[in-house]
Amino acid sequence: MKRTVNILVMFLFMGATAITQAQEMAMLEEVAIIDFETEVMDYGTIEQGSDGTRIFKFTNKGNAPLIISEVKTSCGCTVPSYSKTPILPGEQGELKVKYNTKKLGNFTKTITVISNAKEVQKILKIKGKVVAPS
């Protein structure tokens, strides 16, 4: 019985050691981390036909270059533009979003950023209200 308990304790210790080693290896793994200053851009109330361009700023807080491979929007009324070059660790980048302000009323749209970051898909939102010019 005592020998069985000793063997069990030994296996538990070995398992805990393996988990700790795996965690340490994961920390050494090179990974990009995309960190946006804001994930929701509120346009507030804007006039019809006004400039619908806004900029999402972000930083690569990882230890590997960040590569944005694609940016998808929830409708054709929102057009993204972004750098295709890698963003090095610690550097900042920008994602420009242009919303077509011709249509009156409230809007909420999503922008999906696909990259090699730890969080492969990042969902951003824009919202606001377009009113007729005064």
Side-chain angles (χ1 to χ4, degrees):
M1 177 72 175
K2 190 174 185 179
R3 183 172 185 195
T4 304
V5 170
N6 285 341
I7 291 173
L8 182 59
V9 167
M10 183 177 77
F11 279 118
L12 288 173
F13 177 75
M14 287 173 40
T17 301
I19 291 171
T20 302
Q21 289 173 343
Q23 289 171 337
E24 288 173 359
M25 290 298 291
M27 288 191 303
L28 295 175
E29 181 182 338
E30 289 192 8
V31 64
I33 299 172
I34 191 167
D35 182 41
F36 283 90
E37 286 181 0
T38 184
E39 294 180 18
V40 178
M41 186 71 61
D42 189 349
Y43 282 56
T45 301
I46 58 173
E47 286 190 356
Q48 184 179 31
S50 63
D51 183 17
T53 303
R54 300 293 185 272
I55 297 174
F56 286 94
K57 293 183 180 185
F58 62 88
T59 303
N60 178 2
K61 293 200 172 177
N63 59 3
L66 170 69
I67 301 168
I68 297 175
S69 55
E70 186 177 4
V71 178
K72 297 190 261 184
T73 60
S74 59
C75 78
C77 59
T78 309
V79 179
S81 65
Y82 58 96
S83 173
K84 310 293 190 275
T85 59
I87 308 297
L88 298 177
E91 288 188 353
Q92 290 190 320
E94 296 181 345
L95 168 64
K96 283 186 184 180
V97 177
K98 183 169 183 152
Y99 178 72
N100 184 346
T101 60
K102 290 182 183 176
K103 186 177 177 185
L104 295 173
N106 293 323
F107 66 91
T108 301
K109 306 297 176 190
T110 59
I111 298 102
T112 304
V113 179
I114 301 167
S115 70
N116 68 328
K118 187 173 184 177
E119 188 177 352
V120 176
Q121 288 191 11
K122 189 71 168 180
I123 307 293
L124 307 173
K125 291 185 181 179
I126 60 170
K127 65 180 183 174
K129 182 177 183 178
V130 178
V131 296
S134 43

